[in-house]
Amino acid sequence: MTPGKLEIVARLCLMRTGRRLDTSVPERAAARLGIVARREGYGSVDDLLLALRTSEAERLAWPVVEGLTAFERGFMEDPKVLKQVARRILPHLAGIKGDNPVRIWCAAAGSGQDPYSLAILAQEAAARMGGGFQVEIYASDLSVKGIERARTGIFSHFEIQKGLSARQMIDHFQPVEGGWQASSSLRDMIRWRRVNLFSDTPGSMRFDLVVCRGILPQMAAHVRPTAVVNLALSLAEDGFLVLGRWEGEGEADLAPALLPLPGLDGIYTRNPAFRTLEV
Amino acid sequence: MKSCLIADDSPVVRLMIRRLLEAAGYHVREVPDGAQALAACQKDMPDVILLDWRMPVMNGLEFLIRLRRLPGGGGPCVIFCSVESDPGMIGRALASGANEYVMKPFDREILAGKLSLVGAV
């Protein structure tokens, strides 16, 4: 793939999602575009890129962007951060929410491992606490196809073994054709919707916990502050934002809206000063 | 140096696991069945055991049950590596004393992840 062609699709990704395409391995972008080309009925990546310059451009732009920016995480990635969520944040939220559900937004759900991991942690936390607290998880991603797939809760033989313990696997998933499927109780906890963190403004719903891992570092420097503010505005007054470990370190972008929670890695609260500004 | 015993009747699987564990700094021994695994443990108890289920002479589950009854047999961290993927059988392995379970086929990332889960790397 020539640098010029790579530049065209990188610019498209930046314009639509605010994300910088990793152009260091052109072969990876070419392989992903090859999949999109086949799916859209083109004989080659070159044919697909040519069509992007025709009246087909608008129809093809999102499939191309989704194909290039799709990412996959394992289950329970960054276990130290998740342990803090399970042992400190969820019990705290359960205590202050009482009979109301704890609302969680998983803002970059990818292929689904992150929201299902959160659902498992919530069920395990509820079991440790003797039950009695409700959790609603709202999972979003840029990719419609990714959401459609993640909603099924089916993971391949290889995917299911990355990050989960064997005990978690057999307690929360059942073997089905094509892999392992999340239990209906896990699937029922999660609601799915498409959200573009770059362009979609926060809705009216406020969340007790927002989990957004792996996306901010991919965003271009000039759009990251907007994404951070949108995440902060989505938090309930006493809500928490979870970023990937080290994702917020040294980030001046976070400062106006968020404050790191002392003693916890990767977990932030809304800056009270920012709250005043919002009013 | 930590030690690992690989009990699997497939030389190919043993080689793949050996390479991963040696890269992680383990001293590795290999045996092709449960009976030889038991003898190896009685001689020198390893820190980690990678264990196939279906093996000649003595299968992995029988080995595991006997291992856990040996003096010091509660020590090794045992990870089953088996083609068995029935949740009931996986549950049986865990209830019998396995620390983790890997379904074959698997790749290096999966095995490394399981070793990390049990604190073996």
Side-chain angles (χ1 to χ4, degrees), chain A residues 65-187:
Chain A
V65 168
E66 289 186 6
L68 285 168
T69 57
F71 70 99
E72 191 174 300
R73 300 173 62 89
F75 288 96
M76 304 293 174
E77 275 197 12
D78 216 345
K80 186 177 178 189
V81 172
L82 289 183
K83 190 175 178 186
Q84 296 171 151
V85 170
R87 301 280 173 173
R88 307 274 298 271
I89 303 296
L90 285 177
H92 168 78
L93 288 172
I96 61 174
K97 295 294 287 187
D99 293 335
N100 295 315
V102 174
R103 281 189 175 146
I104 300 174
W105 176 25
C106 185
S111 43
Q113 283 90 338
D114 244 11
Y116 285 106
S117 297
L118 290 166
I120 291 169
L121 291 176
Q123 287 195 354
E124 290 176 349
R128 274 195 306 274
M129 296 165 64
F133 84 93
Q134 301 290 318
V135 170
E136 292 175 356
I137 298 172
Y138 295 78
S140 71
D141 196 78
L142 186 67
S143 168
V144 174
K145 287 199 184 310
I147 289 172
E148 284 170 2
R149 195 197 141 206
R151 184 185 275 124
T152 67
I154 298 176
F155 297 90
S156 74
H157 170 97
F158 286 88
E159 290 168 333
I160 196 69
Q161 297 199 80
K162 291 178 181 172
L164 291 178
S165 69
R167 171 53 62 193
Q168 287 169 324
M169 183 181 79
I170 62 172
D171 282 352
H172 297 283
F173 293 81
Q174 302 89 35
V176 293
E177 191 177 340
W180 289 65
Q181 184 172 36
S183 66
S184 57
S185 69
L186 281 190
R187 282 180 282 141

Side-chain angles (χ1 to χ4, degrees), chain A residues 38-56:
Chain A
R38 280 193 295 280
R39 202 165 51 211
E40 297 296 327
Y42 293 92
S44 69
V45 170
D46 282 346
D47 290 345
L48 174 71
L49 294 180
L50 269 177
L52 266 179
R53 297 178 177 188
T54 68
S55 57
E56 286 289 276

